[in-house]
Amino acid sequence: MKNNLCSHNLKQQPGFGLTGALLTGAYTLCVCAVTGQGLLAFLICCTLCFIFSIKNKQSIFAPDAFLSLPLFFTLGNGSPFAAGLAITGGSLVFLAISKLFKNRTLPRFVVSGAALGLTVGVTILLTNAYFGIGAGSSTPFEMLKEFRSLGFHPNFRGLFYGTITLFAMITFPFKFKKLNKYIPGAFVSILIPFVFNLFLNPHKELTTINESVSLVFAGAPASELQYFFNISSRDIPLIIKGAVGFGVIFYIFNTEKNGVFIMNCANGALSGLPVRKHFIRGYGAVAAVISVIIIAITVFLFPSTLSRLPLHSAGSMLIVAAWQSVPFALLKGIFKERRFPEILLMLVCAVPFVLTDVFTSVLICLAVCALSAKLPSARKEFTE
C-alpha cells in the first residue's frame, strides 16, 4: 500500500514541478521587473526557492508582494547586494526579537495597522508601474509628490493590460478553484496581457508599452556578479535600517517561521528578494528538479521574450497579491467592536508607512506596542 502511494506521488511530481515553476516564476518575474532586477536575480531566486521548498510538501517559497515596501526602500537607496544584506540581517533581527520577547502576543491593532500601512504604501509605489507614470521614488510620500509634479497621465493601453491582470488575479482563483491548483492564478494573470502584448506589439523597438527591460543578462556572468555584489561603506547605515525594518515586519507577521528564516538568510544575500510560503498541492525533490529545468530553459532560450512582459501587469499583479495578505479578520473585529482607542492606535501604526520610511514606521509600531501592553491583543499568524 505504501509503495503504491509513493509510486502515485512520484507520477504526480512532474505536475507539481510545473505548478511550482509557474507560481514562483510568476511572482519572482514581477518583483524583479518592478524593482529593476535582472534575469540573474530571477534565476538565483527561483532556484533557491525550489531547493528550499523540497521539505515543505504542501507549500513553496516565492517572493512576497507584501514586503515590496521595505524592498523598494533598500533598493532605491543602495545596491542590490546592500538590499540583500538587509534581508539577511532582518532575519537575524527577527531571531533576536523572538528570543527576547518569547511567547509575547502582539496587539491586534499593531498587526492590523502595520498590515494596512504596508499595503497602502505598496499600492502607491506600484501604481507607478501599473499606470506607467515614470516616477522613481522609493517611499510612498515621495512617490505621491512625484505623481503631482509629473502629472497623472497613464498609458491607456498599458492600463488596459494592468487591469486585465487585476481582474484575472482576483477572479481566477474563485471561478476556477480546481484549475487554480494546477495553473496558479498569479501566472494566468500575467500570461494573458503578456500574449496580448506580443501580438499587438510584435516589434520591440516600436512598442509604446512600458516593458520589463531590466529582465535581461546585462553582460558576462562575471560582470553581472560584480555589479550585484557591489557595496560601499555608504551602504552600511542603509543596511542597518533595512535590517531593522525587515526584522520587525517579519516579527509582526511571524512570516519567518517554519524554515522561512533560513530561506531568507540565504536568498536575501544571494538574490536580494524576500520570500514567504505559498500553498501548493505537493512538492518534492523530483518536482524541484523539474521546476529548475523549466525556469532554466525559459531564461536561457527566451531571455528577450521575458523582457516583453508589460510592466503595468507586473505592478498590478503585486498590488492584488499584497492586498490578499491583509488580515481582514482582525480589521473587521476592531471596527465591529467599535473600540475607538484601538482604531486610533491602528491608524497611528498605519499612517507612518505612507508618510515616512520603513525604518521610522517600524520604530513607531514598536513604541505603540510597548505603550499599550494592557489592551486586547491577537496576533495574526501568516500561514501558507
Side-chain angles (χ1 to χ4, degrees), residues 171-182:
T171 60
F172 184 84
F174 295 98
K175 293 292 185 179
F176 305 94
K177 292 182 179 180
K178 291 184 178 180
L179 184 59
N180 186 58
K181 295 179 181 179
Y182 300 89

Side-chain angles (χ1 to χ4, degrees), residues 54-76:
I54 292 175
K55 293 184 178 180
N56 292 346
K57 295 182 179 180
Q58 297 298 319
S59 62
I60 189 170
F61 292 117
D64 190 0
F66 201 59
L67 297 174
S68 296
L69 189 63
L71 183 60
F72 268 102
F73 171 70
T74 50
L75 278 175

Side-chain angles (χ1 to χ4, degrees), residues 181-263:
K181 295 179 181 179
Y182 300 89
I183 305 177
F187 173 75
V188 174
S189 67
I190 62 172
L191 176 65
I192 298 172
F194 180 68
V195 173
F196 277 175
N197 190 46
L198 291 179
F199 279 99
L200 297 177
N201 294 292
H203 302 291
K204 182 178 181 179
E205 301 78 11
L206 302 178
T207 182
T208 58
I209 298 297
N210 292 340
E211 298 178 350
S212 305
V213 294
S214 67
L215 293 174
V216 294
F217 287 112
S223 62
E224 289 217 18
L225 289 174
Q226 184 179 6
Y227 165 74
F228 179 82
F229 289 107
N230 180 41
I231 193 172
S232 67
S233 58
R234 293 176 298 178
D235 291 325
I236 294 177
L238 174 67
I239 293 172
I240 295 173
K241 289 183 177 181
V244 173
F246 275 110
V248 174
I249 292 172
F250 288 156
Y251 179 70
I252 291 175
F253 303 110
N254 208 19
T255 56
E256 286 289 85
K257 66 177 184 176
N258 299 334
V260 187
F261 164 75
I262 299 175
M263 175 63 194

Side-chain angles (χ1 to χ4, degrees), residues 47-313:
T47 302
L48 290 175
C49 285
F50 299 145
I51 294 173
F52 278 86
S53 298
I54 292 175
K55 293 184 178 180
N56 292 346
K57 295 182 179 180
Q58 297 298 319
S59 62
I60 189 170
F61 292 117
D64 190 0
F66 201 59
L67 297 174
S68 296
L69 189 63
L71 183 60
F72 268 102
F73 171 70
T74 50
L75 278 175
N77 296 284
S79 67
F81 188 51
L85 289 180
I87 298 169
T88 301
S91 299
L92 300 177
V93 169
F94 159 81
L95 183 63
I97 296 176
S98 299
K99 296 293 184 182
L100 186 62
F101 301 103
K102 191 174 182 179
N103 299 323
R104 174 75 178 271
T105 303
L106 296 181
R108 62 181 181 179
F109 50 81
V110 172
V111 178
S112 300
L116 191 61
L118 277 169
T119 309
V120 173
V122 167
T123 302
I124 293 172
L125 291 174
L126 293 178
T127 296
N128 179 52
Y130 179 16
F131 283 75
I133 298 172
S137 297
S138 59
T139 59
F141 188 65
E142 292 299 319
M143 184 68 79
L144 288 174
K145 290 197 294 186
E146 276 205 77
F147 288 169
R148 182 180 179 182
S149 62
L150 292 174
F152 208 70
H153 305 294
N155 181 311
F156 286 101
R157 179 178 286 184
L159 183 61
F160 170 67
Y161 288 160
T163 304
I164 291 176
T165 298
L166 187 147
F167 280 104
M169 189 71 176
I170 294 172
T171 60
F172 184 84
F174 295 98
K175 293 292 185 179
F176 305 94
K177 292 182 179 180
K178 291 184 178 180
L179 184 59
N180 186 58
K181 295 179 181 179
Y182 300 89
I183 305 177
F187 173 75
V188 174
S189 67
I190 62 172
L191 176 65
I192 298 172
F194 180 68
V195 173
F196 277 175
N197 190 46
L198 291 179
F199 279 99
L200 297 177
N201 294 292
H203 302 291
K204 182 178 181 179
E205 301 78 11
L206 302 178
T207 182
T208 58
I209 298 297
N210 292 340
E211 298 178 350
S212 305
V213 294
S214 67
L215 293 174
V216 294
F217 287 112
S223 62
E224 289 217 18
L225 289 174
Q226 184 179 6
Y227 165 74
F228 179 82
F229 289 107
N230 180 41
I231 193 172
S232 67
S233 58
R234 293 176 298 178
D235 291 325
I236 294 177
L238 174 67
I239 293 172
I240 295 173
K241 289 183 177 181
V244 173
F246 275 110
V248 174
I249 292 172
F250 288 156
Y251 179 70
I252 291 175
F253 303 110
N254 208 19
T255 56
E256 286 289 85
K257 66 177 184 176
N258 299 334
V260 187
F261 164 75
I262 299 175
M263 175 63 194
N264 269 330
C265 275
N267 192 58
L270 294 176
S271 75
L273 300 178
V275 301
R276 71 176 180 90
K277 288 182 177 180
H278 298 256
F279 172 77
I280 194 173
R281 292 176 298 144
Y283 211 71
V286 176
V289 171
I290 292 172
S291 296
V292 171
I293 292 174
I294 291 173
I295 292 298
I297 291 175
T298 304
V299 166
F300 290 114
L301 294 186
F302 309 102
S304 60
T305 304
L306 290 175
S307 66
R308 300 298 311 277
L309 173 71
L311 203 57
H312 313 268
S313 296

